Amino acid sequence: QVQLAESGGGLVQAGGSLRLSCTASSRTFSLHAMGWFRQAPGKEREFVAGISNSGGSTNYADSVKGRFTISRDNAKSTVYLQMNSLKPEDTAVYYCAAGFFLVSDYARYQYWGQGTQVTVAS
């Protein structure tokens, strides 16, 4: 069982930055690929970024490439999402998830955090 807790969300002006963190309770964190997803009101949950268990591979949604960076620190059982040049359309609840494969399909991730709200004001 992996328990995940996100932090770092908040309200920011367009063009600003936020860093989200997701800390896992499990000792098996380093075995898991990690993903960040988001869900805006009235929309489906969408993939934002993912990182392999070692951190050697990453993947991003086209909408965030060049603006967001995913990273992880296995010694701290934490994955990060650095978000720069934020846009109002980035407003959503952001979730981290743990799985066994670096994929963009949310159904392939077994463990989820509670989410953290990110609001970007125009």
Side-chain angles (χ1 to χ4, degrees):
Q1 188 75 9
V2 179
Q3 293 183 324
L4 303 171
E6 302 97 337
S7 62
L11 173 64
V12 65
Q13 294 293 316
S17 298
L18 282 175
R19 188 176 82 154
L20 305 184
S21 299
C22 172
T23 300
S25 63
S26 173
R27 294 181 180 180
T28 62
F29 176 79
S30 64
L31 299 180
H32 293 280
M34 299 297 295
W36 284 98
F37 292 78
R38 65 186 182 188
Q39 188 165 18
K43 294 188 177 181
E44 292 194 357
R45 190 168 298 191
E46 65 172 352
F47 174 78
V48 176
I51 189 166
S52 62
N53 65 319
S54 68
S57 296
T58 58
N59 193 18
Y60 296 91
D62 288 343
S63 59
V64 307
K65 278 181 183 175
R67 299 189 299 124
F68 291 11
T69 302
I70 189 171
S71 61
R72 67 189 296 162
D73 184 339
N74 284 347
K76 296 182 178 180
S77 297
T78 300
V79 62
Y80 305 97
L81 186 68
Q82 178 67 43
M83 305 186 295
N84 299 328
S85 302
L86 282 161
K87 305 175 181 180
E89 51 263 43
D90 294 318
T91 295
V93 177
Y94 282 71
Y95 300 89
C96 69
F100 292 101
F101 302 98
L102 175 53
V103 294
S104 60
D105 181 359
Y106 68 84
R108 301 285 298 277
Y109 288 80
Q110 286 75 37
Y111 305 103
W112 290 83
Q114 294 295 316
T116 185
Q117 177 70 47
V118 171
T119 302
V120 184
S122 58

